[in-house]
Amino acid sequence: MTDSLSRRRLLAAGGVLAAASLAARPAHALTGPSLNRIGDWTLDPAGLYFVSYDGLVNTQSFQLNGILTHGPHQYAAWYTADRSAVLARRALPGGAWQSFPLPHRLSTDDSHNVISLGVSPADGRLHVAMDTHNSTIWYTRSAAGQLSDTAWSAARFEPFQRTLGVLSLGAVTYPQFVLTPGGRLQMSYRTGGSGNGVNRLAEYDGGTWRALGAWTAATGAYTARGVTSTTRNMYLHGLTYDTRGRLHAAFTWREGNTGVLCNGGGLANHDTGYVYSDDQGRTWRNDAGTQVGTTGGAAVSVTSPGLVVDPMTVDHGLMNQEAQAADSAGRPHVIISYVPGRFTQCVSSYAAQRAQYARAFHVRKEASGAWRKTEIPFALGSTGRSRLVFDATDNAYVVLPFARIAAASAQSGYSDWRVLFDGAGLGAFGECLVDYPRVTAERVLSVMYQRRSGGTTPSPVRVIDFRLGG
């Protein structure tokens, strides 16, 4: 492995490398976004297929991560036709995928019950959390040293637990693993339900999980049309560490009282908010730098000051859990999607009208400190969410539903959006997954997708790779 490749893979594994090599590129060195398709592989010819909440359990945007790279290997997880959870890995760049089933089968036809993967570099373990939606988690981890071990089989994993070791979580939703720049593994998860839930963090250190606590609150008052909602939950667009160690969190709120809607068929999501943490999730600040929350203490709430960076009422089918990323200068970028007001000022069927009218928008913080929003001028044709990554010169690439890829250049101020790949020939259904660490380490975009099927007929689960330009 070359020194440069080793350094890039260290960054993907959580090592803090100075971003100055990217940020200091002179303007004349900037190039526009481009894609070079370098491979397409079948993970499973017969992946489990059913549509629930307009999506598939194998490719939901909130998995973080269903596919990820660490060191010389890329890992992926999905449910196969008999409902078994499957793990796979391959040696990069083009090794054959090696897969095996774990001793667990999906408990219910619910696309929330995804499989999430994480790594703890200190002890070389792969962590797996799955099959939960307001229910008790299924969790396992590999033997120590697995990340560098040539052996790869189900025998290398511990028996499934309904806790994180000694840490009991209760009923949870959206378990997501996040790796800090220092290589410490964290888990984000929600307790409570949609419209009345809180986000929590746990941390893995020395082989043991411990709770950091809740950092969002469900309480507070939100009023629309003379109706007041007093419960909600914060839906995260992501938890993203930049190369300087700052943890970014963009989000939308969903209200518990749907009486605030203009029509009962809408979606009670409103506003795009933003907070950040400079101490790995212990305290939280708004965009102006004011502390607005403490994990395990006074939490971030709808009444906390200065949270909203893009105001939006509940009337436009604003989607939750979309996408975010940080550029090489540590500035946050967010992808949101909703039905613009030029189509309707009152979404009465969020699924049907999002599929008909929804557009994605790029919301970003500029060098001046101001936030700017740009419409990505292509119809989504889907209720689904998108993914966001950057290349070496901060060009933005958005993986839209059906594995379409649009991009805009940093040099244009992200005003020149165009489709680089239209998904032709893939037959992808709905949302796709992205291997974020591999983009950072090797500037290769790996997109995991599942082909469209009918009813509950199994269909292929695949990965397509693109070399990013810039």
Side-chain angles (χ1 to χ4, degrees), residues 199-201 211-216 280-284 293-299:
N199 294 330
R200 299 176 182 270
L201 286 173
L212 299 183
W215 67 275
T216 73
Q280 300 192 352
R282 271 66 174 178
T283 59
W284 298 90
T294 302
T295 300

Side-chain angles (χ1 to χ4, degrees), residues 36-39 41 90 438 444-446 463-466:
N36 178 27
R37 182 171 172 172
I38 57 177
W41 292 267
R90 63 171 170 172
R438 195 176 186 199
V444 172
L445 174 61
S446 289
V463 173
I464 185 169
D465 285 352
F466 301 89

Side-chain angles (χ1 to χ4, degrees), residues 24-390:
R25 288 178 183 265
H28 67 265
L30 296 176
T31 58
S34 64
L35 291 174
N36 178 27
R37 182 171 172 172
I38 57 177
D40 196 352
W41 292 267
T42 297
L43 289 171
D44 188 339
L48 182 64
Y49 190 97
F50 59 85
V51 178
S52 162
Y53 294 91
D54 304 311
L56 305 178
V57 73
N58 287 329
T59 54
Q60 288 288 73
S61 66
F62 44 76
Q63 289 183 240
L64 291 182
N65 294 282
I67 181 169
L68 85 163
T69 289
H70 182 84
H73 291 108
Q74 185 175 48
Y75 301 86
W78 67 92
Y79 296 102
T80 195
D82 71 356
R83 310 179 72 83
S84 294
V86 176
L87 292 182
R89 79 173 185 184
R90 63 171 170 172
L92 293 172
W97 286 97
Q98 299 174 300
S99 64
F100 57 81
L102 290 170
H104 178 74
R105 295 188 178 187
L106 180 67
S107 61
T108 184
D109 285 353
D110 186 336
S111 61
H112 289 83
N113 293 40
V114 299
I115 306 173
S116 294
L117 302 178
V119 296
S120 52
D123 58 7
R125 295 182 191 268
L126 179 68
H127 299 252
V128 186
M130 69 174 77
D131 198 5
T132 179
H133 182 197
N134 293 339
S135 58
T136 309
I137 200 169
W138 292 88
Y139 167 77
T140 184
R141 64 180 185 176
S142 72
Q146 176 63 73
L147 297 177
S148 57
D149 200 324
T150 58
W152 177 246
S153 70
R156 297 285 295 164
F157 284 78
E158 297 176 350
F160 273 98
Q161 303 177 44
R162 308 307 302 276
T163 63
L164 297 186
V166 298
L167 178 59
S168 179
L169 304 182
V172 302
T173 308
Y174 309 125
Q176 303 172 350
F177 293 108
V178 185
L179 195 61
T180 73
R184 182 171 292 181
L185 184 63
Q186 297 178 321
M187 178 188 277
S188 166
Y189 57 98
R190 186 187 77 190
T191 57
S194 174
N196 189 9
V198 300
N199 294 330
R200 299 176 182 270
L201 286 173
E203 192 167 80
Y204 183 78
D205 189 25
T208 302
W209 285 99
R210 65 187 180 96
L212 299 183
W215 67 275
T216 73
T219 55
Y222 174 84
T223 301
R225 294 180 182 81
V227 176
T228 297
S229 176
T230 58
T231 66
R232 68 202 46 80
N233 70 279
M234 177 195 284
Y235 273 117
L236 292 168
H237 292 308
L239 285 172
T240 303
Y241 280 100
D242 66 28
T243 55
R244 292 157 172 77
R246 176 167 289 181
L247 178 58
H248 303 270
F251 59 88
T252 184
W253 296 107
R254 176 175 294 178
E255 294 303 318
N257 185 346
T258 58
V260 298
L261 290 164
C262 62
N263 186 284
L267 194 63
N269 295 345
H270 63 92
D271 297 323
T272 297
Y274 170 77
V275 291
Y276 69 87
S277 174
D278 283 335
D279 54 10
Q280 300 192 352
R282 271 66 174 178
T283 59
W284 298 90
R285 297 181 180 275
N286 64 18
D287 188 49
T290 302
Q291 185 170 321
V292 291
T294 302
T295 300
V300 180
S301 75
V302 74
T303 57
S304 298
L307 301 186
V308 176
V309 297
D310 185 61
M312 175 64 56
T313 71
V314 292
D315 301 332
H316 292 279
L318 177 66
M319 185 47 68
N320 48 277
Q321 296 165 288
E322 194 105 15
Q324 68 173 37
D327 63 25
S328 63
R331 291 186 291 263
H333 297 241
V334 189
I335 302 299
I336 63 174
S337 62
Y338 59 89
V339 176
R342 66 181 182 269
F343 297 113
T344 180
Q345 292 291 343
C346 181
V347 168
S348 57
S349 173
Y350 89 89
Q353 289 176 300
R354 277 184 56 86
Q356 185 175 6
Y357 298 123
R359 300 293 188 272
F361 293 80
H362 177 207
V363 180
R364 66 196 182 279
K365 186 173 184 179
E366 298 187 311
S368 66
W371 287 80
R372 181 180 294 273
K373 181 167 70 173
T374 303
E375 180 173 339
I376 300 175
F378 315 112
L380 291 179
S382 169
T383 61
R385 307 164 179 92
S386 303
R387 306 284 82 205
L388 171 66
V389 300
F390 292 101

